[in-house]
Amino acid sequence: MIELIGVNKIYNQGRANEVHALHGIDFSAEKGEIICLQGASGSGKSTLLSIIGCIFGPTSGRAIIGAKALSRLPDRFLTLHRRETIGFIFQQFNLISGLRVLDNVALPLLPLGISPGERKKRAMVLLERFNLSHRADFRADQISGGEMQRVAIARALVNDQPIILADEPTAHLDTALSHDFMTIIAGLKETGKTIIIASHDELVSTHRAIDRIIAIRDGRLHVS
Amino acid sequence: MKFTGIERQLNILDYALHSLARRPGRHLSITFIFALVIFLVASFQMVTASLKHSADVLLKTAPEITVQKMVAGRQVMMRVGDMARVGKVFGIKEIYPRVWGYHFAARNGANYTIIGLDPARQRQLPPYLDGVKMPLAPGEAIVGLPLAKLLDLGGRRVFSLARGDLSLKSFRLAGTFPAASDILTGDLLVTNIADARDLLGMKADEITDICVSVANPAEVRTIAGKISRVMPGTRVLTRDQIRKTYQAVFSWRSGFGSICLLTALAAFFILAWDRASGLSAGERRETAILKVLGWQTTDIITLRFWEGGAVATMAFLLGVMAAWLHVTIGAAALFRPVLMGWSVLRPNLELVPVTRVSDFIIVFTFTVLPYLAATVIPAWHSATVPPDAAVR
């Protein structure tokens, strides 16, 4: 499902402010696997997630995400591949605050030309699955942090992407809500999703659903 | 997965409208300013069209050819007998005399235009004189509404004007021209030819114009040329020439106003460019989120285009509606000093609204299209926000 071979990422290459963010990363993840990625701020964690998330390609090396080699894809196709393959869950949830919960969940479907009725149907199925159907017409900034997190998960799943990336998803949640989050993630594993969670939270790294923990330091991987 | 271009456009338009609603202050302010600019441009366009239309309608009652004698470049009197020379020209249906001149009223510093018509010709004054019994009896007159107000008649029907020797000439008011004709009749007094001569101090057989109507309207220019040849030293004016003079005067004034408005328009587009290119932190973040979620750069440009299009359409509708009300109900109060005002007597203008699709297209072309053009490059620039901004 995901395969990185000798991946390097250099920002501002050839300039005075050049930053070598990733060094020869070799990494793979199978379908249905849940991996916890750990690393301090500035370790290259976000860069690695961005490459796996098809936001940009590597400077060198091979990155094969969902059977497609990223380094050969121009930006336009990178975006198309991203929306078909990757679902994102952000640390800050990144919901559009003035929009209804229902519309936030359906956001990835808009440029696909899916009709309003079909969008609503798909979004409501997910909101019901995460016990949020009663919040569908609330504005995103009118719901609690835990609900926001579940809305973000629903949005990441609405286009049925096979890979889910979560960046510090429990950073703004209390213990109970973090536990709820991991319960949902464990449920997704059963549907065959490949999930990579970047997190410092022990509750995440020690959860039974986690198959592997990978640490990243100074742009290099350390597998445990 | 079903994919249709129209559904995609509708979805993005739907999101664009929600997006505008989420930032009402920002978008309402630009919509209001844009609507104001469109209001000014559309008002000017509509006023000019209405004035030209009014002049056209009224000039239909003017003679097809008017002959005036010129000496040293100035108009001088002719004799009734001169009409016989014009009558020799083949193709003329009717010839009749007309007297006109200016009466200066020292009391209010205004010049009144006095026209004396042959009683047989007075029946041709309609369509704007319903209810006035024709022909006028001796001493009767019809005046424009602004002039009637200036004469301060109150309920009286009789008034007097001073002749050149300061003796008084009395008139009885037979009626007033309707307000819709104010543009041409505002300072006008129409009376019998003999009464006009009496007021203006002319001799009994003197006339100022020979008015000609022709059998075949297509022959007007040919006949005018023939009249010039049989009556050297005359100025032969066709109705079409007079119409063109009016159109030129209105177009010149309209053009002058338009230049002023285009300056305001240019300033607005600079503002629009500035606003469109200066994305807030929240808008940059939102763009990055949308791109991470799979929106292409072209989707973001489409979104910005629809936002701009919605603002421009709303401003256009508001501006054009306000302009229509300004012209029809408000009698173009803002522009009257620019487009009117030949004399002390300002017409009490009631404009007949002329709704022409071409005027709306012109206003749309000069306002909405430049606005969209001014915002499309900043929109493209804003769409290039890198998606990783949402991940960090």
Side-chain angles (χ1 to χ4, degrees), chain A residues 96-99 139, chain B residues 13-28 31 286 303 307 310-311 314:
Chain A
I96 308 294
S97 57
L99 273 189
R139 277 186 8 214
Chain B
L13 172 61
D14 184 38
Y15 186 81
L17 295 176
H18 276 100
S19 177
L20 293 178
R22 280 187 284 121
R23 300 181 187 93
R26 178 186 170 93
H27 293 113
L28 281 178
T31 304
E286 183 177 324
L303 168 65
E307 283 179 352
V311 166
M314 180 65 77

Side-chain angles (χ1 to χ4, degrees), chain A residues 73-84:
Chain A
L73 291 177
D75 272 357
R76 174 179 154 72
F77 292 100
L78 210 58
T79 306
L80 287 175
H81 187 52
R82 179 165 68 243
R83 74 179 175 205
E84 288 167 8

Side-chain angles (χ1 to χ4, degrees), chain B residues 128-343:
Chain B
Y128 45 87
L129 281 177
D130 289 343
V132 178
K133 190 181 173 186
M134 294 292 188
L136 296 171
E140 280 192 332
I142 309 163
V143 301
L145 274 175
L147 176 53
K149 282 181 187 165
L150 206 66
L151 290 170
D152 197 18
L153 296 176
R156 290 179 293 122
R157 304 292 293 178
V158 177
F159 59 96
S160 299
L161 299 176
R163 297 186 184 92
D165 62 4
L166 300 183
S167 62
L168 291 177
K169 161 80 178 163
S170 291
F171 288 96
R172 187 178 177 279
L173 188 69
T176 54
F177 293 102
S181 68
D182 271 1
I183 184 174
L184 292 183
T185 63
D187 63 349
L188 189 62
L189 181 150
V190 173
T191 185
N192 282 306
I193 197 161
D195 290 313
R197 284 189 186 115
D198 183 11
L199 177 67
L200 296 170
M202 296 165 65
K203 291 174 185 164
D205 67 339
E206 281 185 335
I207 56 173
T208 49
D209 300 337
I210 298 171
C211 303
V212 177
S213 65
V214 299
N216 179 4
E219 294 287 324
V220 168
R221 286 184 68 183
T222 309
I223 292 168
K226 286 179 184 173
I227 294 171
S228 292
R229 284 192 288 279
V230 299
M231 288 190 74
T234 57
R235 175 168 64 186
V236 182
L237 299 167
T238 65
R239 185 161 63 194
D240 200 40
Q241 286 172 322
I242 296 170
R243 179 184 292 112
K244 280 177 183 167
T245 304
Y246 272 109
Q247 301 279 0
V249 168
F250 288 133
S251 295
W252 180 86
R253 286 168 182 247
S254 163
F256 179 75
S258 296
I259 287 169
C260 298
L261 291 178
L262 284 175
T263 310
L265 209 57
F268 171 75
F269 291 137
I270 292 168
L271 171 74
W273 174 286
D274 186 53
R275 290 288 293 269
S277 55
L279 282 186
S280 68
E283 285 169 316
R284 286 180 65 82
R285 184 169 157 271
E286 183 177 324
T287 302
I289 292 169
L290 293 176
K291 292 186 83 170
V292 166
L293 295 177
W295 287 51
Q296 301 256 29
T297 298
T298 51
D299 296 327
I300 304 292
I301 293 173
T302 305
L303 168 65
R304 301 289 173 232
F305 174 81
W306 281 125
E307 283 179 352
V311 166
T313 304
M314 180 65 77
F316 180 76
L317 292 175
L318 283 174
V320 166
M321 277 169 57
W324 192 82
L325 292 173
H326 171 226
V327 172
T328 54
I329 295 174
L334 288 176
F335 295 140
R336 288 176 62 194
V338 181
L339 287 165
M340 321 262 320
W342 328 86
S343 66

Side-chain angles (χ1 to χ4, degrees), chain B residues 34-176:
Chain B
F34 195 18
L36 189 64
V37 172
I38 290 172
F39 160 74
L40 294 173
V41 174
S43 291
F44 225 84
Q45 191 70 20
M46 290 165 108
V47 167
T48 307
S50 292
L51 289 174
K52 285 180 178 175
H53 174 76
S54 300
D56 267 355
V57 169
L58 293 167
L59 282 170
K60 279 181 184 164
T61 60
E64 286 164 310
I65 297 172
T66 306
V67 183
Q68 297 172 338
K69 189 173 181 182
M70 307 295 287
V71 173
R74 297 166 75 175
Q75 188 183 357
V76 294
M77 298 298 155
M78 290 186 284
R79 304 281 173 184
V80 174
D82 292 332
M83 290 168 61
R85 292 166 66 195
V86 177
K88 291 175 187 170
V89 176
F90 183 75
I92 289 176
K93 188 169 80 179
E94 192 179 10
I95 303 172
Y96 54 95
R98 187 169 66 182
V99 162
W100 67 272
Y102 294 117
H103 172 86
F104 180 70
R107 186 166 65 107
N108 45 39
N111 270 317
Y112 307 160
T113 302
I114 311 297
I115 291 183
L117 286 178
D118 190 63
R121 300 302 309 170
Q122 289 170 12
R123 287 190 183 85
Q124 293 188 359
L125 279 173
Y128 45 87
L129 281 177
D130 289 343
V132 178
K133 190 181 173 186
M134 294 292 188
L136 296 171
E140 280 192 332
I142 309 163
V143 301
L145 274 175
L147 176 53
K149 282 181 187 165
L150 206 66
L151 290 170
D152 197 18
L153 296 176
R156 290 179 293 122
R157 304 292 293 178
V158 177
F159 59 96
S160 299
L161 299 176
R163 297 186 184 92
D165 62 4
L166 300 183
S167 62
L168 291 177
K169 161 80 178 163
S170 291
F171 288 96
R172 187 178 177 279
L173 188 69
T176 54

Side-chain angles (χ1 to χ4, degrees), chain A residues 120-186:
Chain A
K120 184 176 180 183
K121 190 174 145 192
R122 285 202 208 177
M124 282 307 293
V125 166
L126 287 164
L127 289 176
E128 279 165 21
R129 183 167 157 192
F130 298 127
N131 300 318
L132 284 167
S133 52
H134 63 296
R135 296 282 195 236
D137 290 326
F138 280 56
R139 277 186 8 214
D141 52 356
Q142 292 174 327
I143 58 177
S144 70
E147 288 171 329
M148 283 185 187
Q149 182 62 280
R150 280 183 281 155
V151 172
I153 297 169
R155 186 176 65 183
L157 296 173
V158 74
N159 203 22
D160 198 26
Q161 297 96 326
I163 299 171
I164 304 295
L165 302 182
D167 187 12
E168 299 289 356
T170 59
H172 297 291
L173 301 181
D174 61 25
T175 306
L177 289 173
S178 296
H179 192 267
D180 287 348
F181 171 78
M182 284 311 294
T183 305
I184 291 170
I185 292 295

